[in-house]
Amino acid sequence: SLLFLFFYVRSVSPAGREMIIGSRAYSHCFRDRLISGLFELVIAINYVLYYFFPLPTPLPHQFPWPWWVSLVIAALIGIPATILMIVGLRAAGEEALHPKKEHSMYSGIYKKIRHPQAVGEVFLFPVMGILLHSPFLTLFSLIYFPIFVILCYAEEQDLLLRYGNAYAEYCKQTAAFWPKKMG
């Protein structure tokens, strides 16, 4: 989880890194985004391994209800989260994986919230715990909420470097994680 955080923060910092290493920063950020994705995959694999080889904890190994209840709960959380993440990925376009200096600011869902991908993705960690019917993994997943806040903060600092006042104004107009009330 810490390696995922480390490489993801590096991957969302192309403007800051460009000041140090020049135009190579954008390709380095792409590489770091791939590495962070690899560590995210390792996290998912570890969730499954924990299910089969749980550590001794005071929590029960499984929830007290049947697995199908966990499936329904996971679907109620996971389907909207996945949709939000996909909509954010589509609106971000290639920038979602491969940052480019000439990329323009976002449209689509980014007119409503600044971090739709993060909001969708962070809920997928507890969904994995719920699908694995594990109280421990579901509770453990809560550590990803502050991790994703840190990721979003780091990204915003770099976007302020990239876009300056235009991004600062965008931040004033658009909420980070939940759409602002109209009116």
Side-chain angles (χ1 to χ4, degrees), residues 56-74:
T57 68
L59 295 172
H61 180 61
Q62 296 185 343
F63 287 116
W65 53 77
W67 181 79
W68 69 266
V69 173
S70 290
L71 179 64
V72 169
I73 294 168

Side-chain angles (χ1 to χ4, degrees), residues 159-171:
L159 290 169
L160 284 167
L161 283 174
R162 281 171 81 180
Y163 300 114
N165 287 337
Y167 191 77
E169 281 301 313
Y170 169 70
C171 289

Side-chain angles (χ1 to χ4, degrees), residues 112 180-183:
K112 304 281 186 204
K180 288 182 178 181
K181 276 188 163 183
M182 302 302 279

Side-chain angles (χ1 to χ4, degrees), residues 138-155:
T138 304
L139 285 173
F140 179 79
S141 296
L142 297 179
I143 71 162
Y144 292 102
F145 285 85
I147 285 174
F148 271 79
V149 169
I150 292 167
L151 297 177
C152 292
Y153 177 79
E155 181 177 33

Side-chain angles (χ1 to χ4, degrees), residues 77-133:
I77 298 168
I79 291 171
T82 302
I83 291 169
L84 183 59
M85 189 176 75
I86 291 169
V87 168
L89 282 166
R90 281 189 160 168
E94 193 177 353
E95 177 79 4
L97 183 60
H98 199 286
K100 293 185 186 243
K101 186 172 183 159
E102 65 277 358
H103 190 271
S104 60
M105 287 186 16
Y106 305 127
S107 59
I109 191 145
Y110 286 91
K111 291 180 182 178
K112 304 281 186 204
I113 59 174
R114 297 192 309 266
H115 300 287
Q117 293 175 63
V119 172
E121 189 173 351
V122 75
F123 282 99
L124 297 181
F125 289 96
V127 164
M128 282 189 293
I130 294 167
L131 279 174
L132 290 167
H133 205 50

Side-chain angles (χ1 to χ4, degrees), residues 10 14-29 31:
R10 287 175 53 92
R17 291 171 76 182
E18 182 181 33
M19 296 163 87
I20 299 166
I21 65 170
S23 61
R24 296 185 329 248
Y26 289 85
S27 63
H28 285 218
C29 287
R31 180 202 63 212

